[in-house]
Amino acid sequence: SLAALLAVSAFAADIVDSGNCGKNGDNVTYTLDSDGLLTISGEGEMGDYSYSNRAPWYDRCEEIKKVAILDGVTSIGNSAFSYCSNLTSIEIPNSVMSIGDSAFTSCSSLTSIEIPNSVTNIGDYAFESCSSLTSIKIPSSVTSIGNRVFSFCSSLTNIEIPNSVTSIGDYAFESCSS
């Protein structure tokens, strides 16, 4: 009925931003809805970003509360979600093989993250200053952990590192006071 359709649409979030975020342009796309859900979808690698070349959603970073990366995306780009201070959760599929440098730097509301068994590399500064992150389990697929990966994660009380990890970068746990 029309009333039922209107009731359902009243709960649907509106798309407030969308575009390309793939390494090759439109191979990976994103949508941000009015509830703060950023969805990344497509096939292949995300683009890499930096201080001078920000992610396309950077100006709306404060609005992002949850990130859902869909199956088919194979990497999380450098600085992709850095400074998204209201981000509380992220879903990473088994298609993702690498987490880029500074990917989650200063995501100060992120309390936990589940890294899938497909990830082999965690880049430098990936979780630096994630001050609410309390626990993390590194899957046995990971062989290297970059420099300063968990530095300034002041709430981190528990971390599991498997035997597969053969290198841990400099200052990986600097100022992890808990």
Side-chain angles (χ1 to χ4, degrees):
S1 74
L2 182 58
L5 183 62
L6 288 173
V8 169
S9 66
F11 293 108
D14 295 325
I15 300 299
V16 295
D17 195 13
S18 64
N20 296 330
C21 61
K23 187 170 188 175
N24 301 321
D26 63 0
N27 64 307
V28 179
T29 60
Y30 75 93
T31 59
L32 175 62
D33 73 19
S34 56
D35 287 341
L37 172 63
L38 180 67
T39 303
I40 311 288
S41 59
E43 296 291 326
E45 294 178 74
M46 278 181 71
D48 286 323
Y49 304 100
S50 65
Y51 186 77
S52 58
N53 174 34
R54 299 285 194 185
W57 49 82
Y58 181 77
D59 289 340
R60 300 188 88 124
C61 230
E62 294 297 312
E63 298 171 42
I64 299 171
K65 296 177 185 143
K66 184 175 182 181
V67 171
I69 301 173
L70 304 185
D71 195 43
V73 178
T74 60
S75 72
I76 296 175
N78 294 345
S79 300
F81 308 109
S82 58
Y83 303 100
C84 291
S85 60
N86 293 317
L87 177 63
T88 58
S89 70
I90 180 157
E91 294 172 23
I92 304 173
N94 279 322
S95 57
V96 170
M97 294 179 280
S98 67
I99 297 174
D101 295 349
S102 303
F104 298 98
T105 294
S106 296
C107 289
S108 55
S109 296
L110 193 63
T111 57
S112 67
I113 189 163
E114 191 170 320
I115 299 173
N117 255 332
S118 53
V119 172
T120 58
N121 182 53
I122 300 173
D124 296 344
Y125 304 91
F127 298 99
E128 181 191 38
S129 297
C130 288
S131 54
S132 296
L133 190 65
T134 58
S135 171
I136 193 160
K137 182 179 180 192
I138 308 292
S140 58
S141 54
V142 172
T143 56
S144 70
I145 295 173
N147 297 326
R148 298 184 187 269
V149 171
F150 300 105
S151 62
F152 302 99
C153 289
S154 55
S155 297
L156 189 63
T157 57
N158 184 35
I159 185 163
E160 290 181 41
I161 301 174
N163 290 336
S164 59
V165 173
T166 57
S167 70
I168 297 175
D170 294 339
Y171 303 100
F173 301 100
E174 178 188 19
S175 296
C176 288
S177 54
S178 295

